[in-house]
Amino acid sequence: MQPEKTNLLGLTQTQLQTFFTELGEKPFRARQLMKWIHQCGLDDFEGMTDMSRALRARLAELACIRAPEIVSCHTSDDGTRKWIVRVASGSCVETVFIPDGRRGTLCVSSQAGCALDCSFCSTGKQGFDSDLTAAEIIGQVWIAVKALGQTADGKNRAVTNVVMMGMGEPLLNFDNVMNAMDLMMDDLAYGVSKRRVTLSTSGVVPGLHRMIGRTDVSLALSLHAPDDALRNLLVPINKKYGIQELLGAVAAYMDSLPDTSRVVTIEYTLIAGMNDSRQQARALAQLLRKTPCKINLIPFNPFPLSDYKRPSAETIRGFQRVLLDAGFNTTLRKTRGDDIAAACGQLVGSVMDKTRRSARYKAAVDASAPAEPVRILDRVS
Ligand code: SAH
Ligand code: SF4
């Protein structure tokens, strides 16, 4: 049997240098290869004209450049695009591109499904299937950049921001997510600034500690509740790592960044009658008084299997007002592009979960007719 070829798409610059050194080649080959793969969008070695024929043939024998398979691609009238891609386990995950003036944000998945089962999240309701490899994570960027026509000279930059807010909990797939984010920020690959790559977590405290010294990307925390009792209900991982411990870990990471002007983004999904009262807004302001942050309010997006509702516009505005009056920079995530079904944090994909949750999910989807159009969220960071 032929040995499995190494997929070079997911290797960082350092890993590629090791790969070439082991082949008896000079490490600078890594730089050449990265430009071909990530900036020119090549997925075969033939076109890599600055390498000898012999080296190209050797690479083709030992290695490949393989992005996940595109199952479908949808474009909204407002330019929002969604790709459904199949990963090695057979499950499908989603990637969403949201243009907003000069900004283009790509929402990337880190796992097929999610084990954390937050009560308001459709990904969580499907259970967990598998971690994505670094190649499957960066492959989503590779696919988007290629489809959007971003040129190698960087003049036509389509993807200016990346948010790890697709399917999955990024800190539970730590190494692959870190390596993929290294590639996003590498000037020989996508050159996205560290401020514009955002990792969103539901609160995996050990993962936050591991980030210190390993990365310097921006951080978003999915808080969603001002106290432990309610957060235990909405975000079950809170039973393991309570709010105070979590805010401590967030502070430790933010303090590890040399640039003191950077702040954590607090994500707060507003669910009618659960966490949307003015009193809860005041409690949130009190809780965050020592956390330099900006707050992003996300009106809940309904989906099958959930009885939760989105609060009225008036309630949402009232909640925001309390936070603004308390001095917090507080933004409201707008919705748009309801002609294709996609929303960051609400992604469905098609997960072959190991917990049998997805069977229940699919049954509920089939039973709910006609499905309410799912809106795409913009301004994700
Ligand atoms: N697992 C990570 C990243 C993916 S979720 C995390 O939880 O942070 C990205 C964001 O979308 C999170 O803030 C999540 O809480 C939010 N979200 C999930 N389901 C949602 C829904 N139905 N409506 C609105 N926001 C939702
Ligand atoms: Fe997982 Fe995030 Fe969804 Fe929670 S909100 S179930 S952590 S993807």
Side-chain angles (χ1 to χ4, degrees), residues 151-167:
T151 51
D153 59 14
K155 282 193 186 127
N156 173 29
R157 182 173 279 278
V159 176
T160 60
N161 295 54
V162 182
V163 290
M164 297 303 303
M165 291 186 192
M167 298 171 74

Side-chain angles (χ1 to χ4, degrees), residues 120-121 164-166 168-170 200-202 222 224 267 269 298-301 303 344-346:
F120 53 87
C121 173
M164 297 303 303
M165 291 186 192
E169 169 49 55
S200 173
T201 181
S202 58
S222 293
H224 311 306
E267 295 167 276
T269 299
I298 315 167
F300 171 71
N301 276 296
F303 61 91
C344 272
Q346 205 199 16

Side-chain angles (χ1 to χ4, degrees), residues 69-341:
E69 177 202 345
I70 302 173
V71 175
S72 60
C73 173
H74 313 260
T75 306
S76 154
D77 292 342
D78 62 21
T80 302
R81 288 173 81 156
K82 178 179 83 165
W83 293 266
I84 298 179
V85 302
R86 184 171 291 119
V87 295
S89 67
S91 287
C92 292
V93 300
E94 302 187 8
T95 313
V96 181
F97 175 72
I98 306 129
D100 183 13
R102 290 160 70 107
R103 171 154 61 176
T105 302
L106 195 67
C107 181
V108 170
S109 294
S110 58
Q111 297 181 309
C114 183
L116 296 185
D117 200 18
C118 299
S119 62
F120 53 87
C121 173
S122 65
T123 302
K125 290 291 155 228
Q126 294 175 81
F128 174 73
D129 171 48
S130 57
D131 283 336
L132 268 52
T133 61
E136 287 166 342
I137 299 168
I138 202 66
Q140 297 169 63
V141 184
W142 186 88
I143 286 169
V145 159
K146 201 167 163 162
L148 294 164
Q150 186 164 308
T151 51
D153 59 14
K155 282 193 186 127
N156 173 29
R157 182 173 279 278
V159 176
T160 60
N161 295 54
V162 182
V163 290
M164 297 303 303
M165 291 186 192
M167 298 171 74
E169 169 49 55
L171 291 184
L172 290 181
N173 184 13
F174 192 87
D175 292 327
N176 292 334
V177 166
M178 292 300 143
N179 288 343
M181 292 194 310
D182 283 351
L183 282 167
M184 291 168 198
M185 294 185 282
D186 195 317
D187 283 337
L188 294 171
Y190 302 97
V192 181
S193 111
K194 62 190 176 198
R195 290 173 163 274
R196 292 165 182 252
V197 174
T198 303
L199 182 143
S200 173
T201 181
S202 58
V204 181
V205 165
L208 284 165
H209 289 307
R210 281 180 78 190
M211 283 173 76
I212 297 172
R214 172 63 184 86
T215 190
D216 53 3
V217 294
S218 294
L219 182 66
L221 174 66
S222 293
L223 190 60
H224 311 306
D227 60 75
D228 280 316
L230 181 58
R231 194 163 194 270
N232 287 346
L233 213 73
L234 298 176
V235 187
I237 197 181
N238 194 71
K239 292 182 211 154
K240 202 160 177 187
Y241 310 109
I243 292 179
Q244 284 311 328
E245 190 184 354
L246 179 54
L247 291 179
V250 165
Y253 175 69
M254 297 310 296
D255 288 348
S256 77
L257 304 176
D259 181 351
T260 50
S261 68
R262 296 177 71 183
V263 298
V264 61
T265 300
I266 301 290
E267 295 167 276
Y268 194 100
T269 299
L270 284 163
I271 308 166
M274 292 294 290
N275 63 357
D276 62 342
S277 73
R278 279 167 180 264
Q279 197 189 335
Q280 284 162 319
R282 282 191 289 274
L284 183 64
Q286 176 68 11
L287 177 70
L288 295 174
R289 68 193 183 284
K290 291 195 186 123
T291 304
C293 63
K294 57 181 182 213
I295 301 175
N296 193 208
L297 301 175
I298 315 167
F300 171 71
N301 276 296
F303 61 91
L305 259 201
S306 173
D307 296 331
Y308 291 153
K309 302 234 159 9
R310 176 181 293 194
S312 68
E314 196 192 337
T315 304
I316 294 172
R317 268 198 305 274
F319 196 94
Q320 184 181 21
R321 172 70 18 229
V322 171
L323 295 171
L324 288 170
D325 289 348
F328 289 90
N329 174 356
T330 311
T331 51
L332 188 62
R333 214 178 270 183
K334 295 177 281 174
T335 58
R336 63 180 209 195
D338 49 10
D339 53 338
I340 60 169

Side-chain angles (χ1 to χ4, degrees), residues 2-6 8 19-20 23 33 43-48 51-66:
Q2 289 272 328
E4 177 99 10
K5 290 186 179 183
T6 309
L8 303 182
F19 172 83
F20 278 110
L23 282 188
L33 190 91
D43 58 3
D44 64 50
F45 301 103
E46 242 344 274
M48 301 187 179
M51 297 192 196
S52 69
R53 275 194 183 284
L55 176 57
R56 281 181 270 165
R58 192 133 178 256
L59 286 173
E61 215 173 280
L62 298 170
C64 61
I65 303 158
R66 198 169 46 233

